[in-house]
């Protein structure tokens, strides 16, 4: 798996296996096992997903050494406060069965109970992540779903710079201004829900021509699109064959005209940001 070097010198695999909504015990554990078997070395979970224990079990069951895996989790919305964040870091470590995290993110910038004081709430939550990082519990820290106003509030207060901003990104949802500011601050960009357009694209004649042209599925085209936009796409499936198929995106490149078409493609779906 190809690697990308983060701002702090750590390396992260350029394709990740996501576990959102994977709460069925056997499906979640087997999904992680199958992903690692297929060559993924980047596993993404979150406190909010309620499956950290299952993800940790899958990692152990896989037999892949912990040090070969880049493991990410995220602070739940209910843990936005200095002491609550610190406590939740330890809880995540216990649930995942590891003594360190490769990456921990603030999951959302504005959460219930902090609608009015989100600016200070994010600063205090970040301070806790910085302290956990400096204590050796987390090797890299970052953000998720932080838009321009959230970044402009937090970045001046960071003594440890965020290395990632994880955003919803795919054709039709480009968030160009947020991506640009994040990159200007040195952050790599992760893309969640990169396969959202599949159902709509099944009706798109030009996209269907691309599948024939490259002999690739729509999912593979979308993941490759993310790679070529220099995102780190996070793909999710509980089916072993799809998990394997989604990793087979490093043997082709999109031609300029196809990349341009996807850049201007119109998304008709809801945007949950």
């Amino acid at each position: 798996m190809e690697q990308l070097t983060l701002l702090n010198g750590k390396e992260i695999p350029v394709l990740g296996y996501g576990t959102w909504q994977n709460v069925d015990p056997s499906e979640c554990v087997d999904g992680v096992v199958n992903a690692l078997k297929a060559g993924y070395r980047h596993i993404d979970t979150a406190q909010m997903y309620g499956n950290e224990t299952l993800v940790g079990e899958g990692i152990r069951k896989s037999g892949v050494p912990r040090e070969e895996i880049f493991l990410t989790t995220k602070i739940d919305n209910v843990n936005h406060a200095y002491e609550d964040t610190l406590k939740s870091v330890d809880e995540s470590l216990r649930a995942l069965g590891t003594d360190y995290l490769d990456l921990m993110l603030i999951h959302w910038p504005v959460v219930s109970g902090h609608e009015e004081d989100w600016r200070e709430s994010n600063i205090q939550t970040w301070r806790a992540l910085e302290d956990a990082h400096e204590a050796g519990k987390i090797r890299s820290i970052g953000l998720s779903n932080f838009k321009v106003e959230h970044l402009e509030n937090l970045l001046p207060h960071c003594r440890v710079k965020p290395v990632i901003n994880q955003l919803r990104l795919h054709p039709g949802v480009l968030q160009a201004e947020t991506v640009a500011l994040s990159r200007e601050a040195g952050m790599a960009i992760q893309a969640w829900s990169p396969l959202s357009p599949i159902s709509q694209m099944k009706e798109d004649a030009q996209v269907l021509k691309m599948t024939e042209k490259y002999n690739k599925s729509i999912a593979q085209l979308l993941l490759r699109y993310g790679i070529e936009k220099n995102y780190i796409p996070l793909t999710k499936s509980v089916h072993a064959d799809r998990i394997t198929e989604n990793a087979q995106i490093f043997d082709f490149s999109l031609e300029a005209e196809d990349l341009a078409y996807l850049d201007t493609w119109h998304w008709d779906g809801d945007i949950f940001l």
Side-chain angles (χ1 to χ4, degrees), residues 196-213:
S196 293
I198 286 179
S199 59
Q200 184 179 336
M201 284 184 169
K202 288 178 179 178
E203 308 299 323
D204 188 309
Q206 191 156 338
V207 171
L208 294 178
K209 287 181 181 178
M210 288 185 209
T211 65
E212 296 176 2
K213 177 179 180 180

Side-chain angles (χ1 to χ4, degrees), residues 77-133:
N77 293 348
V78 298
N79 293 323
H80 271 231
Y82 180 84
E83 294 295 340
D84 289 342
T85 296
L86 281 182
K87 180 180 177 182
S88 76
V89 170
D90 290 335
E91 290 171 348
S92 286
L93 290 170
R94 285 193 295 270
L96 288 160
T98 184
D99 58 3
Y100 72 94
L101 295 163
D102 294 282
L103 177 65
M104 197 162 203
L105 310 176
I106 300 178
H107 204 155
W108 290 95
V110 182
V111 303
S112 178
H114 293 284
E115 295 90 346
E116 301 299 324
D117 70 337
W118 63 264
R119 293 170 177 82
E120 183 61 24
S121 172
N122 283 332
I123 291 169
Q124 292 306 315
T125 301
W126 187 255
R127 190 72 65 239
L129 287 183
E130 289 177 322
D131 288 351
H133 166 71

Side-chain angles (χ1 to χ4, degrees), residues 1 6-7 12 28 47 60 70 91 99 102 148-149 161 175 198-200 202 205 211 229 265 270:
M1 186 71 68
L6 298 171
L7 180 65
I12 182 171
C28 186
Q47 295 172 354
R60 290 187 294 276
F70 191 100
E91 290 171 348
D99 58 3
D102 294 282
V148 170
E149 66 174 325
K161 294 182 179 180
Q175 301 203 64
I198 286 179
S199 59
Q200 184 179 336
K202 288 178 179 178
T211 65
K229 296 293 288 186
W265 187 81
D270 294 331

Side-chain angles (χ1 to χ4, degrees), residues 4 12-20 42 44 49 74 103 105 143-145 164-171 173-175 179 183 188-197 222-236 273:
L4 182 151
I12 182 171
V14 299
L15 178 67
Y17 178 71
T19 61
W20 179 52
H42 174 186
D44 180 276
Y49 299 168
K74 312 175 194 76
L103 177 65
L105 310 176
L143 309 170
S144 177
N145 301 302
I164 289 279
N165 195 4
Q166 185 180 120
L167 303 164
R168 180 169 188 170
L169 293 168
H170 53 72
V173 180
L174 301 182
Q175 301 203 64
V179 168
R183 286 181 166 156
I189 304 297
Q190 287 183 322
W192 63 263
S193 205
L195 304 185
S196 293
L222 286 167
L223 293 171
R224 185 66 210 179
Y225 172 82
I227 294 292
E228 296 195 16
K229 296 293 288 186
N230 201 27
Y231 306 150
I232 302 168
L234 302 170
T235 179
K236 180 185 79 72
L273 297 174

